[in-house]
Amino acid sequence: MAHPSQLGFQDAASPIMEELLHFHDHTLMAVFLISTLVLYIITIMMTTKLTNTNSMDAQEIEMVWTIMPAIILIMIALPSLRILYLMDEVNDPHLTIKAIGHQWYWSYEYTNYEDLSFDSYMIPTNDLTPGQFRLLEVDNRMVVPMESPTRLLVTAEDVLHSWAVPSLGVKTDAIPGRLHQTSFIATRPGVFYGQCSEICGANHSFMPIVVEAVPLADFENWSSSMLEA
């Protein structure tokens, strides 16, 4: 959960998000070094009155400032491509959940079970209990077992939505008539919050997403209680 004045990302709760954080730090360091070099060169040019005529037409310098950016771009592109392929991999999921976006709430269908489905509405501010987060709590959380590959099928029934949970590194568009697939693994127990990331209408800010990762035994107890209800 993010906190006020936070500058960085939320703590990663999935292997993909950990990879994204590492890639962010890697790219930020390259940007920092480039910015420092450019600032140094600008400072030198503005403060010195001396000009070396030999450097005004030097093929070696032109080769350096052409090849170096290409090398930096390759160093950024290769890890990026690796993460893109990892995000597309869905290897033997233990659980498949279908998330359907509506105006303005989410509904979930656990396709591994015959009759396990429910709607997830935001809890109004007046009904919140102490410790709950305004505009982020829902009446029915999407419960998943931790350390289990989970496949998520995302679609919408009316307008464009986007299912996004930053801690899990998941963000997938929900498009009417189209089924998008993604996957994640919750590496630790916890409650992870997200929101619709597509401007979907007047109540766009009022359809939060809450994923609760629990041990497998607790998930089985929860699914049994939901089927009996």
Side-chain angles (χ1 to χ4, degrees):
M1 180 65 191
H3 57 78
S5 72
Q6 178 174 330
L7 298 179
F9 290 96
Q10 298 180 27
D11 293 337
S14 69
I16 290 296
M17 191 58 195
E18 292 179 0
E19 293 288 341
L20 290 173
L21 289 178
H22 291 317
F23 175 68
H24 169 267
D25 297 339
H26 167 74
T27 307
L28 194 63
M29 183 57 63
V31 171
F32 176 75
L33 293 176
I34 294 172
S35 302
T36 304
L37 177 61
V38 171
L39 181 62
Y40 172 76
I41 295 174
I42 292 175
T43 304
I44 293 299
M45 292 180 64
M46 293 180 64
T47 56
T48 183
K49 296 181 180 180
L50 301 177
T51 302
N52 188 349
T53 56
N54 294 328
S55 65
M56 301 298 291
D57 185 20
Q59 298 297 325
E60 294 82 3
I61 295 179
E62 292 186 5
M63 290 181 61
V64 169
W65 70 44
T66 301
I67 295 175
M68 284 296 294
I71 295 175
I72 294 173
L73 289 176
I74 292 174
M75 292 175 59
I76 294 176
L78 292 180
S80 175
L81 291 173
R82 173 176 172 271
I83 295 176
L84 284 175
Y85 279 104
L86 286 175
M87 294 176 69
D88 284 338
E89 289 291 333
V90 182
N91 293 323
D92 191 22
H94 297 172
L95 180 67
T96 300
I97 304 174
K98 184 178 181 181
I100 306 172
H102 306 269
Q103 289 183 316
W104 282 274
Y105 65 95
W106 293 95
S107 61
Y108 299 100
E109 299 176 1
Y110 287 67
T111 58
N112 299 82
Y113 299 84
E114 187 173 351
D115 295 317
L116 182 51
S117 62
F118 53 85
D119 296 330
S120 180
Y121 289 88
M122 186 192 75
I123 299 178
T125 302
N126 296 333
D127 298 334
L128 293 175
T129 59
Q132 291 184 327
F133 298 105
R134 176 177 172 271
L135 300 182
L136 288 177
E137 293 291 349
V138 296
D139 54 358
N140 291 308
R141 295 172 174 174
M142 191 185 92
V143 182
V144 298
M146 57 176 289
E147 297 181 345
S148 295
T150 301
R151 175 171 56 185
L152 186 69
L153 306 177
V154 182
T155 187
E157 191 170 285
D158 34 51
V159 298
L160 294 177
H161 299 281
S162 183
W163 200 91
V165 179
S167 296
L168 298 175
V170 178
K171 183 177 182 180
T172 305
D173 288 339
I175 301 175
R178 181 174 294 182
L179 203 61
H180 286 172
Q181 176 179 269
T182 187
S183 64
F184 63 89
I185 301 175
T187 55
R188 56 185 172 85
V191 180
F192 312 110
Y193 295 91
Q195 289 178 304
C196 175
S197 297
E198 192 75 48
I199 300 177
C200 57
N203 292 330
H204 158 68
S205 302
F206 304 101
M207 51 183 303
I209 302 161
V210 182
V211 178
E212 183 176 357
V214 298
L216 181 59
D218 294 334
F219 173 78
E220 292 176 345
N221 295 333
W222 171 84
S223 60
S224 299
S225 62
M226 291 291 291
L227 291 172
E228 294 172 357

